Amino acid sequence: MINDRCREVVNDSMQALHALAKLMPLLTSQCALSEMLETINRTLGSTLAWISMDDEAGMQRVICAGEVTCHSFEITHFLASTLLQRQHRSWRSIYWKENVGNVLFTPSHPGYQQLHGGVLCKLSGREGSDYGYFFLGFSQRLLSMPILKHVMVVLMEKLSDYFAEIVVRERAAIEMQRVVTQYKILFERAPVLMSSFDRRNRCVLWNAECEKVFGWRMAEINTHADPLALFCPDHEERRRVRGSLNALPLNDMYEWHPRRKDGATLTILWSNVPLPDGSILNIGLDITERKKAEQLLAQRAMTDDLTGCLNRSAILQRLTVALESERRQEWDHPYSVLMFDLDYFKQINDGWGHQVGDRALVHFCDCLRAISPASSALGRVGGEEFLLLLPGANSAAALTLCTALRKALRTSPLKVGDKSLILAFSAGVVDVRCGQRDASLLLTQADRALYDAKRTGRGKTVVSVDYL
């Protein structure tokens, strides 16, 4: 950590000269750019240092170092704005005594308040052509400007010698401003999630759509030691997601289920692209509402509109899947199937009206669901016929359930005005044998048992003993 004494270097002439003398031998051609910037920060007491230059293909290359994170997009916007203001004046360096963070960052960025003094210099080759820019930012205000200017002149000569072989072009200021402005509008207003995290897991890009969808502001995210934990509380899920967010570019979109600030679970289609500076831009689409709509449509396609039970095709599919699962895993657990039919239902419709008949079907299903185990599945297979699948229960358990259902229908009759309507039913039960796979045969058995119950007086439950 840079001590307070070091941070005052640029505001004290003797310290500045000593720091410069110490710095010069350290800036060698063997240093990597990032190492050089770290050395400058450490020696001069600066908080942020970056170099921006164009490569041979005209692509911007940005190298940053320091306590404040600065993304290439922010640097491009800063340069464009600065060059546009100075386009009719010749300059080699620009100094900010204070509030340079206000110029470089948006108000939500931590550096907006942290950076005060700053200096921007042009990088020039031996032929005098400009090929890039060098910036130093300080957390304190600049006081000894003449001393700092002398330091920067010497430093720029050293850096120019180091970068003499790099030939770059300075883009036209107005065109750069136009492009950056268009990008900034797209970045902030597009209904697309755009973010980036550096390798220290700090959020360095977070557009307005991210803030709207996730509920977190970038400044809030960066107060946490592990920002990804805000979105992935589960450690294993966080471990799987981390690499794709800031390390490995993806070739396709994949589905992610992060948490919102309010705890709600989102469904995000996510991918990322590598940027020229080596960072990763994460791009996502919020499809939470679309997923909910798809799930609702799928649920409606499987549900009986009146009773809320599974419809005929859905309950038969559930039975087929259950039989296939038992066969595949060779389970030998009890499993029973019940077929119900409301007794004298036509008389209810004729005597009480079809609306009461509909209410009777709903009341019957509500009572049955209330006493059925959570693992069961109830479906409507006909007008007043219902099928109940009872995994883990044999015919004896099914008979007990029928007894409890009759008691519930007596103690909680359907209220129609000031009158009570007690519903009755007949039922057929089939014990599913291990290895039994034919759903249609099971339904035939259950239907025959139900027919026997109705034929012999109704209000009964008959267990099938004919396995065909």
Side-chain angles (χ1 to χ4, degrees):
M1 193 70 180
I2 300 174
N3 57 40
D4 294 336
R5 184 69 173 167
C6 185
R7 291 189 184 280
E8 297 297 331
V9 166
V10 294
N11 286 325
D12 184 279
S13 59
M14 291 303 297
Q15 288 189 48
L17 293 176
H18 284 303
L20 184 60
K22 179 182 178 181
L23 177 62
M24 289 299 100
L26 302 177
L27 301 182
T28 66
S29 58
Q30 287 74 34
C31 291
L33 289 178
S34 58
E35 294 174 346
M36 177 179 291
L37 295 181
E38 291 287 1
T39 301
I40 293 172
N41 281 333
R42 187 168 53 252
T43 308
L44 296 184
S46 49
T47 306
L48 171 65
W50 54 254
I51 294 175
S52 173
M53 55 189 175
D54 290 346
D55 60 19
E56 294 181 356
M59 298 296 294
Q60 183 190 44
R61 184 186 180 196
V62 174
I63 302 93
C64 295
E67 299 176 27
V68 175
T69 300
C70 190
H71 199 275
S72 58
F73 294 125
E74 293 161 327
I75 292 173
T76 302
H77 181 257
F78 168 72
L79 285 175
S81 301
T82 304
L83 295 178
L84 186 62
Q85 296 172 8
R86 300 288 181 124
Q87 62 177 327
H88 298 304
R89 286 178 284 177
S90 176
W91 61 274
R92 305 309 304 172
S93 59
I94 304 172
Y95 296 83
W96 289 264
K97 289 186 176 181
E98 58 185 358
N99 298 327
V100 71
N102 299 178
V103 183
L104 184 55
F105 300 112
T106 61
S108 63
H109 195 287
Y112 186 85
Q113 297 291 341
Q114 186 174 348
L115 284 188
H116 286 283
V119 55
L120 175 68
C121 300
K122 285 183 180 179
L123 294 172
S124 301
R126 292 178 179 176
E127 293 80 13
S129 59
D130 300 328
Y131 61 84
Y133 302 91
F134 172 77
F135 176 84
L136 281 181
F138 302 87
S139 58
Q140 73 273 24
R141 294 171 176 81
L142 298 181
L143 302 177
S144 302
M145 295 296 292
I147 297 298
L148 179 60
K149 289 180 179 179
H150 288 308
V151 170
M152 295 307 298
V153 168
V154 176
L155 182 60
M156 285 301 98
E157 289 181 359
K158 184 70 173 181
L159 291 178
S160 296
D161 289 341
Y162 181 73
F163 294 118
E165 70 277 9
I166 302 176
V167 179
V168 294
R169 324 183 279 279
E170 181 180 308
R171 297 176 181 176
I174 296 178
E175 179 64 17
M176 183 186 294
Q177 176 68 20
R178 183 185 68 82
V179 172
V180 172
T181 299
Q182 288 181 347
Y183 171 79
K184 186 175 179 62
I185 292 173
L186 173 64
F187 179 79
E188 289 298 332
R189 298 182 183 178
V192 178
L193 302 166
M194 297 184 185
S195 68
S196 183
F197 289 78
D198 65 18
R199 296 188 181 277
R200 290 179 289 178
N201 294 323
R202 290 191 299 180
C203 182
V204 294
L205 277 179
W206 192 255
N207 74 342
E209 186 70 4
C210 284
E211 184 172 328
K212 171 186 172 184
V213 171
F214 292 106
W216 295 97
R217 293 182 293 107
M218 186 167 72
E220 293 177 306
I221 294 172
N222 283 329
T223 61
H224 290 75
D226 186 0
L228 191 55
L230 298 173
F231 311 100
C232 298
D234 181 73
H235 176 75
E236 283 301 313
E237 180 187 8
R238 190 160 66 251
R239 182 184 62 80
R240 291 191 298 269
V241 170
R242 190 182 306 281
S244 65
L245 284 178
N246 60 11
L248 302 174
L250 300 174
N251 295 323
D252 204 351
M253 305 287 284
Y254 78 100
E255 198 169 291
W256 184 38
H257 300 280
R259 297 277 186 89
R260 272 182 52 88
K261 184 178 181 180
D262 59 11
T265 300
L266 301 169
T267 302
I268 305 293
L269 275 182
W270 205 265
S271 189
N272 56 40
V273 293
L275 298 176
D277 65 354
S279 62
I280 298 292
L281 177 64
N282 305 300
I283 303 175
L285 294 173
D286 177 19
I287 60 169
T288 306
E289 294 305 319
R290 192 184 84 185
K291 272 291 183 180
K292 288 180 179 178
E294 291 175 354
Q295 292 169 358
L296 181 59
L297 288 174
Q299 182 179 359
R300 287 180 176 176
M302 298 171 59
T303 304
D304 177 61
D305 291 336
L306 176 63
T307 63
C309 301
L310 296 173
N311 57 27
R312 180 181 177 86
S313 61
I315 192 65
L316 295 183
Q317 176 65 22
R318 187 74 64 89
L319 176 59
T320 300
V321 171
L323 295 177
E324 177 63 23
S325 177
E326 287 206 6
R327 182 194 68 81
R328 185 172 58 252
Q329 303 187 33
E330 297 182 353
W331 288 347
D332 193 17
H333 299 160
Y335 197 111
S336 58
V337 175
L338 292 84
M339 182 82 77
F340 296 92
D341 185 280
L342 264 66
D343 292 334
Y344 308 109
F345 184 70
K346 184 177 184 304
Q347 295 180 18
I348 295 175
N349 276 334
D350 293 343
W352 295 77
H354 286 279
Q355 288 186 346
V356 174
D358 288 347
R359 289 180 55 197
L361 295 174
V362 174
H363 182 70
F364 174 79
C365 291
D366 289 343
C367 290
L368 180 52
R369 278 190 290 252
I371 64 172
S372 299
S375 60
S376 64
L378 177 62
R380 186 180 181 187
V381 293
E384 66 272 17
E385 289 189 355
F386 298 88
L387 189 67
L388 181 67
L389 309 183
L390 280 179
N394 56 19
S395 58
L399 289 172
T400 300
L401 183 142
C402 288
T403 300
L405 178 58
R406 289 190 174 92
K407 180 179 179 181
L409 293 173
R410 287 194 303 270
T411 57
S412 300
L414 176 64
K415 297 295 183 180
V416 184
D418 57 354
K419 297 180 180 180
S420 297
L421 177 59
I422 298 177
L423 302 177
F425 67 90
S426 300
V429 179
V430 176
D431 267 320
V432 180
R433 296 180 301 173
C434 179
Q436 197 162 2
R437 299 167 54 186
D438 195 327
S440 62
L441 290 179
L442 279 175
L443 293 177
T444 300
Q445 289 176 249
D447 193 56
R448 287 184 178 180
L450 173 62
Y451 175 77
D452 288 343
K454 296 177 74 70
R455 181 177 57 82
T456 56
R458 301 177 191 267
K460 297 180 179 180
T461 300
V462 173
V463 178
S464 173
V465 293
D466 181 12
Y467 287 97
L468 301 179

